[in-house]
Amino acid sequence: MRSAGLLFGCTLGVLVSGCTIEPPEGTPPAPMAGVLESGPRETRFGRTGDEVVSNPQLRDRIRTLFGADWAPGTGKIQRGAQAYFGRVASPRGVRVGDQNYVAVTGCVTTACPAERVLLLIQETGDSMLARLDEGGYSHYYAYGPEWGRAGSTQQATDAALRALSRNGDPYPRA
């Protein structure tokens, strides 16, 4: 009798794990994404992550991207988005949908890798997307005229993060 219960439990577990839930009607499919070969694309705004974040062409746009969340105590991000660039990895090229981006990842120095950020900068620097992970919650940001071309902000940043993850840990080491 005991083995029959075990068999029933295992069978039920396999059936339940095989179920999939379809996304809501009208949800566009996630865009294809992949890491690009190393080349001059990644260093367009700086050779290091710190150089990219402090690049004069991007500095104000990055602050605008995060808006009130940039500084601590002014938005919904407790530490402020600026703290998530305390430790920054080298830039990498990533393609999401039909757009190429320079990807920079970072984390809060004292909470790496639990509190982290992914910044995607379109090759021209005119559009940016970001995902900031704070205490189990992901916050998404978009800036620029063409930010929606590769799907929603969440879909595009999540697809880029998956592509970077497939090629190794995308975040800086603590």
Side-chain angles (χ1 to χ4, degrees):
M1 187 70 167
R2 192 172 201 179
S3 64
L6 180 62
L7 179 64
F8 176 73
C10 289
T11 303
L12 183 61
V14 167
L15 290 174
V16 170
S17 67
C19 294
T20 59
I21 298 172
E22 292 294 321
E25 180 96 17
T27 303
M32 297 293 292
V35 175
L36 301 171
E37 296 269 337
S38 292
R41 168 185 306 108
E42 297 87 49
T43 58
R44 177 181 177 99
F45 303 109
R47 291 184 330 259
T48 67
D50 289 328
E51 287 178 7
V52 172
V53 174
S54 60
N55 179 300
Q57 180 185 351
L58 301 176
R59 187 178 40 239
D60 292 338
R61 292 178 187 173
I62 292 171
R63 286 177 178 83
T64 301
L65 167 72
F66 290 102
D69 290 343
W70 181 252
T74 59
K76 62 186 174 215
I77 306 299
Q78 182 180 12
R79 297 179 193 260
Q82 183 177 10
Y84 287 74
F85 293 96
R87 179 174 288 131
V88 191
S90 297
R92 294 197 267 176
V94 67
R95 183 171 183 83
V96 180
D98 62 351
Q99 296 293 311
N100 291 337
Y101 294 92
V102 174
V104 175
T105 56
C107 60
V108 175
T109 305
T110 59
C112 207
E115 298 199 6
R116 56 198 192 174
V117 66
L118 165 64
L119 174 64
L120 298 175
I121 306 160
Q122 192 179 37
E123 286 182 312
T124 61
D126 294 334
S127 296
M128 289 184 258
L129 303 173
R131 172 183 163 162
L132 187 144
D133 295 332
E134 174 196 42
Y137 295 99
S138 294
H139 305 275
Y140 296 90
Y141 303 87
Y143 170 87
E146 300 182 39
W147 65 267
R149 287 184 58 183
S152 76
T153 301
Q154 180 176 351
Q155 287 179 319
T157 54
D158 289 352
L161 184 56
R162 281 191 301 275
L164 289 165
S165 295
R166 284 191 303 265
N167 286 285
D169 184 4
Y171 292 100
R173 288 277 163 215

